Amino acid sequence: MTPKILVFPGSNREGSFNASLAAAAAHALTVKGADVTRISLADYPLPIMDEDLQKRDGVPENALKLARLIALQDGLFLACPEYNSSIPPLLKNTIDWVSRVSTDAGRPLRAWRGRVVALGSASDGQFAGIRGLYHVRSVLMNVGAQIVTEQCSVSRASTAFTEDGQLGDERNARMLDAACQSLIDHCRAVANR
Ligand SMILES: Cc1cc2nc3c(=O)[nH]c(=O)nc-3n(C[C@H](O)[C@H](O)[C@H](O)COP(=O)(O)O)c2cc1C
């Protein structure tokens, strides 16, 4: 079985370290045989979650597009920046809006439910954004995703990537490989249930 895996960073910043990590993860997953789609959340702009807005205008089209795309996948790899030891607003806002989608053309659609997710983080600091991943993990579990244990947190990110976009340090490369392998293994295990 070829797992379908969506990869995106939780940052739209120009030169984002997490975009670099997402690219390296997409490469590793492709080499391992996954059918990878890589996107940028910049292509799915969303307003700040606002229940009055949802009541007035419904769920934004971009949230519905993302929900449809996510629901088509077996798994996701998310590369998440850490903001003040926690989940960055872009990612939280995206998770929240997508969680508000419950139907599509009258059919039930719960995009996060049952998705297998692997997490990565990258920061130029020494803690590698690892503290934020506790919160990302918790939020995603609470919307019904299944998060694999292995994760890849890259410290000193401004010097961590080689010119061809790979992780230069062997320990970082092993962490990414383990997270990607676990993601693929869990996607296959879920599909075989
Ligand atoms: C509001 C804010 C809070 C931040 N807090 C943290 C933090 O707690 N830990 C950390 O390692 N970096 C922190 N940073 C720095 C980010 O890790 C850094 O901006 C990083 O490059 C963001 O990821 P990106 O390169 O993918 O955009 C913070 C940045 C901002 C803007």
Side-chain angles (χ1 to χ4, degrees), residues 8-135:
F8 64 84
S11 170
N12 292 338
R13 188 177 71 82
E14 205 177 316
S16 159
F17 304 132
N18 287 282
S20 299
L21 181 56
H27 176 74
L29 289 161
T30 303
V31 169
K32 288 177 182 297
D35 174 6
V36 175
T37 305
R38 181 155 61 101
I39 60 164
S40 165
L41 293 179
D43 294 326
Y44 300 85
L46 288 166
I48 296 286
M49 179 68 228
D50 176 339
E51 285 188 85
D52 289 337
L53 188 66
Q54 185 189 347
K55 205 167 163 187
R56 197 184 67 215
D57 300 338
V59 172
E61 186 61 24
N62 279 337
L64 186 57
K65 279 187 191 165
L66 277 171
R68 284 181 188 138
L69 182 61
I70 291 166
L72 285 174
Q73 313 298 317
D74 298 298
L76 291 90
F77 186 102
L78 304 183
C80 315
E82 173 182 279
Y83 278 9
N84 294 316
S85 322
S86 188
I87 186 168
L90 173 68
L91 184 60
K92 182 64 164 60
N93 196 50
T94 302
I95 294 170
D96 288 345
W97 269 121
V98 170
S99 78
R100 303 302 282 181
V101 177
S102 57
T103 56
D104 183 16
R107 294 212 180 109
L109 177 63
R110 290 288 186 190
W112 295 118
R113 209 168 277 173
R115 297 285 88 69
V116 181
V117 181
L119 299 175
S121 63
S123 165
D124 216 17
Q126 60 174 328
F127 297 125
I130 200 166
R131 296 168 303 181
L133 291 190
Y134 283 109
H135 296 196

Side-chain angles (χ1 to χ4, degrees), residues 130 152-155 167-177:
I130 200 166
C152 175
S153 290
V154 178
S155 60
L167 285 164
D169 178 73
E170 199 188 313
R171 187 172 161 273
N172 283 340
R174 263 193 276 119
M175 256 195 298
L176 182 62
D177 187 78

